[in-house]
Amino acid sequence: MSHGTRRRARTLQLAAAASLLLVMTGCSGGLGGGGDEAEASGPIKFGMLAPFSGSESAFGAYMENGAQLAVDEINADGGVLGREIELVVEDDACDATTAVAGANKLVTDGIVASVGGYCSGATLPTLPIFDEAGIPMVIPAANANSLVEEGLPGVFLINGTGTQQAAAAVQYAEQIGATSVAAIDDATAYSADLAASFVEQAGEAGLEIAFEATVTPGENDYSSVATQLADAQPQLVYWTGYYQEGGLIARQSSDAGFGGAFLVGDGSVDAKFAEIAGAGYTDNVVGTFTQTPDMIEGADDWIAAYTELAGAAPGPYSTQSYDAVRVMAQAIEDAGSTEFDAVVEALEALDGFETFAGPLTFTENHTLSGGGFVIVSIDPATGAFVLKDDLQG
């Protein structure tokens, strides 16, 4: 079955799924470029959905600036197919309804490729929109397994999946000698997926699952789950939601008497976590994360270039967004076209393309062959997450 046929068949399934997801989370075809060569002399438009408002807004600027740096470098080197790239950005607020509106706006604006996606719950309902429009996606941050489970041919992830991140969490739990663990999620697609994968893999590794809980994001009082956690006293708890709630839960759990390791997923890895938790509440906090530029040897020149462009230092997902643009640009160049099937085939054919995460070759289901997750901890002086363990030993 051709990619185009597979795309059309999956679109009907995903459109229904997207509508259902909007109802559950609270959280049109052919209008975009999607291979339309009618304006072959104009810029090639790459679209990016990212959070520029809401609780995760800090990540939007990191993603946009990382992507824009790649765009500027590629354009300075002659562009793609002799044309410049233009980055078109829309806010998704990490909200499903807002993301759908933003995706439709990007399609109308004539993008031919998508290089955005931070929150999985907001990214999921955009998949059928971009698929129907014939727009391939290289997703830099969102990494729930559900993003690739539908098998849409145009969806590629360059962040490790929830399964791979959970494996790193289990590895760390075993490394510190934890025999009992717990998991707390916030019911969003990313968080629930990561927690479920962690619980499954921890159980398979012979670890006791002492406690599981789901909280409602956006609240200020998590004392109930904090008390339950303190009563269960696992040696490690894995918080798989975002930093806004994570910082509060870390503080309130400590006040309730929890003394184990407080491991957080990549959605909580930001200096604002320590700010929300407060001084003295992050000594036991570590996280699973892919390396940021400051953790990568030889990244000084890139950091300087980013800082000159943005007026601030790079942060989480700036490198992944930079690489998403480069990966997509390379695929279009290799394809000799922006036509959907040709670009998808070129993405699938990439073999050892150099990225910050290492040489990139996509697996059969369009994920990375290795997750690249490390363990980070909080520097008490700055509140920033820094490399603690690369999990290679």
Side-chain angles (χ1 to χ4, degrees):
M1 182 182 293
S2 71
H3 290 300
T5 302
R6 288 164 55 198
R7 175 164 55 83
R8 287 189 293 273
R10 288 292 187 182
T11 295
L12 296 176
Q13 299 171 18
L14 261 287
S19 298
L20 178 60
L21 180 63
L22 285 172
V23 173
M24 292 173 65
T25 62
C27 54
S28 87
L31 295 177
D36 184 1
E37 304 291 348
E39 297 184 15
S41 61
I44 296 176
K45 294 183 178 182
F46 284 14
M48 168 174 276
L49 286 171
F52 296 98
S53 62
S55 63
E56 311 308 314
S57 58
F59 295 101
Y62 295 145
M63 293 174 67
E64 180 181 10
N65 291 323
Q68 188 62 55
L69 179 57
V71 167
D72 292 348
E73 290 178 355
I74 292 167
N75 288 344
D77 198 34
V80 175
L81 305 181
R83 300 160 61 186
E84 288 197 342
I85 300 172
E86 177 185 342
L87 183 66
V88 185
V89 175
E90 289 290 335
D91 182 19
D92 69 11
C94 272
D95 171 76
T97 303
T98 307
V100 165
N104 281 314
K105 177 68 163 53
L106 290 175
V107 171
T108 302
D109 285 345
I111 69 165
V112 301
S114 170
V115 292
Y118 172 71
C119 287
S120 295
T123 304
L124 276 165
T126 70
L127 267 57
I129 295 169
F130 291 133
D131 182 71
E132 174 66 17
I135 295 171
M137 305 173 69
V138 173
I139 301 173
N143 61 353
N145 292 315
S146 50
L147 291 166
V148 293
E149 284 173 350
E150 288 294 331
L152 286 175
V155 178
F156 294 79
L157 307 186
I158 61 168
N159 190 15
T161 64
T163 297
Q164 291 166 328
Q165 184 168 190
V170 172
Q171 183 180 344
Y172 180 71
E174 292 179 313
Q175 192 168 293
I176 65 172
T179 57
S180 64
V181 298
I184 305 174
D185 69 81
D186 67 5
T188 61
Y190 147 78
S191 180
D193 175 78
L194 181 55
S197 188
F198 172 72
V199 168
E200 179 182 359
Q201 294 184 55
E204 291 172 350
L207 305 182
E208 176 194 353
I209 311 301
F211 179 66
E212 292 181 66
T214 298
V215 301
T216 302
E219 298 183 349
N220 293 318
D221 183 4
Y222 294 103
S223 57
S224 176
V225 74
T227 299
Q228 293 177 66
L229 181 60
D231 290 343
Q233 281 298 332
Q235 291 158 309
L236 176 147
V237 61
Y238 196 22
W239 161 247
T240 62
Y242 297 98
Y243 63 78
Q244 193 78 24
E245 294 77 22
L248 293 174
I249 294 172
R251 180 187 187 96
Q252 292 169 16
S253 296
S254 178
D255 285 343
F258 172 67
F262 196 96
L263 180 64
V264 303
D266 54 358
S268 280
V269 178
D270 188 270
K272 288 191 176 182
F273 185 100
E275 182 182 326
I276 292 167
Y281 286 95
T282 60
D283 292 347
N284 66 332
V285 175
V286 289
T288 47
F289 200 60
T290 49
Q291 297 189 61
T292 50
D294 56 296
M295 304 176 195
I296 301 172
E297 187 176 350
D300 291 349
D301 289 345
W302 188 90
I303 292 172
Y306 177 100
T307 303
E308 182 178 358
L309 169 71
Y317 302 109
S318 52
T319 54
Q320 288 91 336
S321 299
Y322 174 84
D323 281 334
V325 170
R326 294 177 57 249
V327 167
M328 187 67 82
Q330 185 64 52
I332 291 173
E333 189 71 43
D334 291 348
S337 168
T338 59
E339 194 273 326
F340 179 85
D341 286 354
V343 175
V344 168
E345 289 173 5
L347 285 165
E348 291 175 336
L350 290 176
D351 186 8
F353 182 80
E354 286 297 332
T355 70
F356 273 102
L360 180 147
T361 301
F362 287 111
T363 64
E364 203 171 273
N365 64 344
H366 296 178
T367 60
L368 298 181
S369 54
F373 287 98
V374 299
I375 301 299
V376 293
S377 59
I378 294 178
D379 181 343
T382 65
F385 281 87
V386 296
L387 181 63
K388 176 181 176 67
D389 189 334
D390 63 9
L391 296 178
Q392 298 303 306

Short mmCIF file of all heavy atoms in Angstrom, two decimals, residues 15 21 87 132 147 164 167 172 175 199 203 231 326 342 345 352 379 391:
data_model
loop_
_atom_site.label_atom_id
_atom_site.label_comp_id
_atom_site.label_asym_id
_atom_site.label_seq_id
_atom_site.Cartn_x
_atom_site.Cartn_y
_atom_site.Cartn_z
N ALA A 15 -9.28 11.24 12.55
CA ALA A 15 -10.20 12.36 12.70
C ALA A 15 -11.21 12.06 13.79
O ALA A 15 -11.52 12.90 14.63
CB ALA A 15 -10.91 12.63 11.37
N LEU A 21 -10.71 12.73 21.54
CA LEU A 21 -9.68 13.21 22.44
C LEU A 21 -10.02 14.61 22.96
O LEU A 21 -9.81 14.93 24.12
CB LEU A 21 -8.33 13.24 21.73
CG LEU A 21 -7.13 13.72 22.55
CD1 LEU A 21 -6.89 12.79 23.73
CD2 LEU A 21 -5.89 13.83 21.69
N LEU A 87 10.08 30.00 8.95
CA LEU A 87 9.47 29.37 10.11
C LEU A 87 8.19 30.11 10.47
O LEU A 87 8.21 31.32 10.71
CB LEU A 87 10.42 29.37 11.30
CG LEU A 87 9.93 28.66 12.56
CD1 LEU A 87 9.80 27.16 12.32
CD2 LEU A 87 10.88 28.94 13.74
N GLU A 132 -4.10 14.82 6.74
CA GLU A 132 -5.07 15.10 5.68
C GLU A 132 -4.51 16.13 4.70
O GLU A 132 -4.78 16.07 3.49
CB GLU A 132 -6.38 15.60 6.28
CG GLU A 132 -7.42 16.07 5.28
CD GLU A 132 -7.96 14.96 4.39
OE1 GLU A 132 -7.79 13.77 4.75
OE2 GLU A 132 -8.55 15.30 3.34
N LEU A 147 1.60 8.66 19.89
CA LEU A 147 1.85 9.47 18.70
C LEU A 147 2.19 8.60 17.48
O LEU A 147 1.90 8.98 16.34
CB LEU A 147 3.00 10.46 18.95
CG LEU A 147 2.70 11.59 19.94
CD1 LEU A 147 3.99 12.27 20.36
CD2 LEU A 147 1.73 12.59 19.34
N GLN A 164 11.12 4.37 26.23
CA GLN A 164 12.56 4.51 26.43
C GLN A 164 12.88 5.33 27.67
O GLN A 164 13.83 5.03 28.40
CB GLN A 164 13.17 5.15 25.18
CG GLN A 164 13.14 4.24 23.96
CD GLN A 164 13.44 4.96 22.66
OE1 GLN A 164 13.11 6.14 22.49
NE2 GLN A 164 14.08 4.27 21.72
N ALA A 167 12.31 3.21 30.73
CA ALA A 167 13.41 2.25 30.90
C ALA A 167 14.58 2.90 31.64
O ALA A 167 15.22 2.27 32.50
CB ALA A 167 13.87 1.73 29.54
N TYR A 172 17.63 3.62 36.70
CA TYR A 172 18.12 4.43 37.81
C TYR A 172 17.62 3.89 39.14
O TYR A 172 18.38 3.85 40.13
CB TYR A 172 17.67 5.89 37.65
CG TYR A 172 18.14 6.78 38.77
CD1 TYR A 172 19.49 7.11 38.88
CD2 TYR A 172 17.26 7.25 39.73
CE1 TYR A 172 19.95 7.90 39.92
CE2 TYR A 172 17.71 8.05 40.78
CZ TYR A 172 19.05 8.37 40.87
OH TYR A 172 19.51 9.15 41.91
N GLN A 175 19.71 1.13 40.03
CA GLN A 175 21.07 1.60 40.30
C GLN A 175 21.22 2.11 41.72
O GLN A 175 22.28 1.94 42.34
CB GLN A 175 21.41 2.71 39.29
CG GLN A 175 22.88 3.10 39.25
CD GLN A 175 23.17 3.98 38.05
OE1 GLN A 175 23.09 3.53 36.91
NE2 GLN A 175 23.48 5.23 38.28
N VAL A 199 5.51 1.73 35.38
CA VAL A 199 4.94 0.71 36.26
C VAL A 199 5.10 -0.68 35.64
O VAL A 199 5.49 -1.65 36.32
CB VAL A 199 3.46 1.02 36.55
CG1 VAL A 199 2.77 -0.18 37.21
CG2 VAL A 199 3.34 2.25 37.45
N GLY A 203 7.62 -3.46 37.26
CA GLY A 203 7.08 -4.76 37.67
C GLY A 203 7.84 -5.91 37.02
O GLY A 203 8.14 -6.91 37.68
N ASP A 231 2.77 7.84 53.49
CA ASP A 231 2.35 6.62 54.18
C ASP A 231 2.92 5.37 53.50
O ASP A 231 3.34 4.42 54.16
CB ASP A 231 0.83 6.52 54.21
CG ASP A 231 0.19 7.55 55.15
OD1 ASP A 231 0.92 8.10 56.00
OD2 ASP A 231 -1.03 7.79 55.02
N ARG A 326 16.63 20.71 10.85
CA ARG A 326 17.72 20.18 10.02
C ARG A 326 17.33 18.83 9.39
O ARG A 326 17.64 18.57 8.22
CB ARG A 326 18.98 20.03 10.87
CG ARG A 326 19.56 21.35 11.35
CD ARG A 326 20.78 21.14 12.24
NE ARG A 326 21.81 20.38 11.57
CZ ARG A 326 22.17 19.13 11.88
NH1 ARG A 326 21.55 18.48 12.88
NH2 ARG A 326 23.12 18.52 11.23
N ALA A 342 7.38 11.59 -1.12
CA ALA A 342 8.82 11.67 -1.38
C ALA A 342 9.58 12.06 -0.12
O ALA A 342 10.66 11.52 0.17
CB ALA A 342 9.09 12.66 -2.50
N GLU A 345 9.60 9.12 2.41
CA GLU A 345 10.59 8.11 1.99
C GLU A 345 12.01 8.58 2.29
O GLU A 345 12.86 7.79 2.70
CB GLU A 345 10.42 7.80 0.52
CG GLU A 345 9.14 7.00 0.22
CD GLU A 345 8.88 6.82 -1.27
OE1 GLU A 345 9.75 7.23 -2.07
OE2 GLU A 345 7.81 6.29 -1.62
N GLY A 352 22.22 7.62 9.90
CA GLY A 352 23.34 8.20 10.61
C GLY A 352 23.43 9.71 10.49
O GLY A 352 24.52 10.28 10.66
N ASP A 379 20.98 21.84 40.64
CA ASP A 379 22.06 22.62 41.24
C ASP A 379 21.44 23.55 42.28
O ASP A 379 20.66 24.43 41.93
CB ASP A 379 22.77 23.43 40.16
CG ASP A 379 23.94 24.25 40.69
OD1 ASP A 379 24.02 24.47 41.92
OD2 ASP A 379 24.78 24.70 39.88
N LEU A 391 24.09 7.17 32.68
CA LEU A 391 23.56 5.80 32.66
C LEU A 391 24.36 4.86 31.75
O LEU A 391 23.86 3.83 31.31
CB LEU A 391 22.09 5.80 32.22
CG LEU A 391 21.10 6.53 33.15
CD1 LEU A 391 19.69 6.48 32.57
CD2 LEU A 391 21.14 5.91 34.55
#
